[in-house]
Amino acid sequence: MNLLPDFEYRRPKSLSGVLSALEESQGKAVLLAGGTDLIPRMKLGLEQPGWIIDIKDVENLRFITIEGENLTIGTLTSVHTVAKNTLIKTYFPTLHEAAVATASEIIQIRGTIGGNLLQETRCNRYNKSETWRHAFPPCLKTGGKACNVIKGARTCRSVYCGDLAPALLSLDASVVVATTQGEREIPLNEIFTGNGTSPFSLNKTDLVKMLKIPLRKTRGRYKKFRLRETIDYPILGIALSVDDAGRGYLVLGACGPRPLKYGFSTPEEAADIPRKAFEDMKPIDNMPLPPRYRKHLVRVFAERVLGEIIF
Ligand SMILES: Cc1cc2nc3c(=O)[nH]c(=O)nc-3n(C[C@H](O)[C@H](O)[C@H](O)COP(=O)(O)OP(=O)(O)OC[C@H]3O[C@@H](n4cnc5c(N)ncnc54)[C@H](O)[C@@H]3O)c2cc1C
């Protein structure tokens, strides 16, 4: 790992202070929450922001509360707090299981829900030291013209490995984004672009303020396949949530640059998802384990999770 490069450091105490600093930086700033994704990336030389705006001291961004017909979770709420919350465990078991399965307990205590959602995509040719990367030409994600995994690929297929997004998508969550101009609510699905070079549709001056989940009791499961059970990113994450009327979503994570979401309202529709997911999954050789194995996993895990919760 390298030493951190120089950068302008700001640590405002208020949300308005953060939003003004974002404007002032003119696109040069990144936000620092827990830092468990950003700092390792900076040390590997994958990111060199001119400014860092540390949001840890901002008040009123750590909460889990009921607001009208939604449960709202503040962006600085730690993954550990999400895992321990009894309301979440009772109403949204999929989110509870995903939080428990995230990284390790120490990272859960430090990492935030906002940072978890907006973590960068990963690729085993990219998440490497600078020395290792210099053996190859720059790839699409590091400003080059070609992908080092697939010759001739036009778009980057680095993999989104967040554990919480599939669970939140299965619960039909949305995000509230704040800027100096005001706030807007976006369905969570819309923040993903599907392009690994710039995986999120948010602007440089946007701050994710909170998550909103429609408050209705669900049954569900998050199943994660990883190499090391004690601490690891998913090689596949599958989230399933179903409401009392039998309607719900199955969401695949770690299957490409964005999660894949499948809705269903009858058992027949749900039963067809493993086949569809198998067809849609187009893995490439950029993660541990061969692509064909990972494609096969999708059908097996989708069938298992549906079997445990619905059939
Ligand atoms: C060894 C190791 C194992 C890991 N394993 C897993 C795993 O199994 N599953 C998993 O999901 N993750 C894993 N992670 C990734 C990471 O630790 C978690 O995703 C964590 O929750 C990130 O939260 P953070 O607050 O530390 O994010 P940060 O590093 O602070 O931020 C991550 C990104 O989000 C942006 N950001 C943060 N907050 C906001 C906001 N409010 N608005 C706009 N942008 C924002 C930052 O600018 C940055 O680009 C692992 C990390 C490590 C080091």
Side-chain angles (χ1 to χ4, degrees), residues 30-38 40 55 75 79 101-103 107 110-112 114-116 118-119 161-163 206-208 224 231-234:
V30 293
L31 298 177
L32 174 73
T36 58
D37 180 56
L38 180 64
I55 57 175
T75 190
V79 178
T102 298
I107 292 177
R110 180 88 187 172
T112 63
N116 189 283
L118 295 170
Q119 64 182 273
C161 291
D163 276 306
D206 287 343
L207 173 139
V208 168
K224 174 170 176 174
I231 176 171
D232 227 331
Y233 288 93

Side-chain angles (χ1 to χ4, degrees), residues 266-285:
T266 63
E268 292 72 31
E269 282 173 14
D272 197 31
I273 293 176
R275 179 196 62 77
K276 280 198 216 148
F278 180 79
E279 277 173 17
D280 293 344
M281 173 78 172
K282 309 250 180 325
I284 62 169
D285 194 11

Side-chain angles (χ1 to χ4, degrees), residues 134-146:
H134 280 166
F136 300 90
C139 70
L140 294 169
K141 199 163 167 66
T142 50
K145 293 203 170 7

Side-chain angles (χ1 to χ4, degrees), residues 46-192:
L46 295 170
E47 191 150 0
Q48 297 189 353
W51 286 43
I52 287 198
I53 304 173
D54 191 336
I55 57 175
K56 275 193 284 295
D57 288 347
V58 177
E59 284 178 1
N60 303 329
L61 291 181
R62 284 183 187 83
F63 56 85
I64 300 179
T65 48
I66 296 174
E67 259 180 45
E69 296 185 340
N70 296 294
L71 184 81
T72 55
I73 309 178
T75 190
L76 285 181
T77 308
S78 73
V79 178
H80 193 253
T81 305
V82 172
K84 295 288 170 203
N85 185 277
T86 44
L87 189 72
I88 289 180
K89 194 171 175 185
T90 313
Y91 274 70
F92 310 125
T94 314
L95 180 57
H96 164 76
E97 290 181 9
V100 171
T102 298
S104 66
E105 208 164 351
I106 291 174
I107 292 177
Q108 289 167 20
I109 290 168
R110 180 88 187 172
T112 63
I113 191 166
N116 189 283
L117 274 185
L118 295 170
Q119 64 182 273
E120 267 292 343
T121 52
R122 302 177 63 80
C123 169
N124 59 14
R125 299 290 184 99
Y126 166 79
N127 293 90
K128 296 281 193 210
S129 69
E130 231 157 3
T131 321
W132 194 98
R133 294 198 314 273
H134 280 166
F136 300 90
C139 70
L140 294 169
K141 199 163 167 66
T142 50
K145 293 203 170 7
C147 170
N148 286 328
V149 182
I150 305 182
K151 228 178 159 185
R154 298 238 177 91
T155 52
C156 170
R157 299 279 307 278
S158 52
V159 179
Y160 178 77
C161 291
D163 276 306
L164 300 189
L168 288 160
L169 285 165
S170 77
L171 294 163
D172 223 9
S174 54
V175 288
V176 175
V177 172
T179 65
T180 46
Q181 271 78 53
E183 294 185 3
R184 65 190 195 278
E185 189 175 333
I186 315 173
L188 181 56
N189 211 20
E190 290 178 15
I191 73 164
F192 296 99

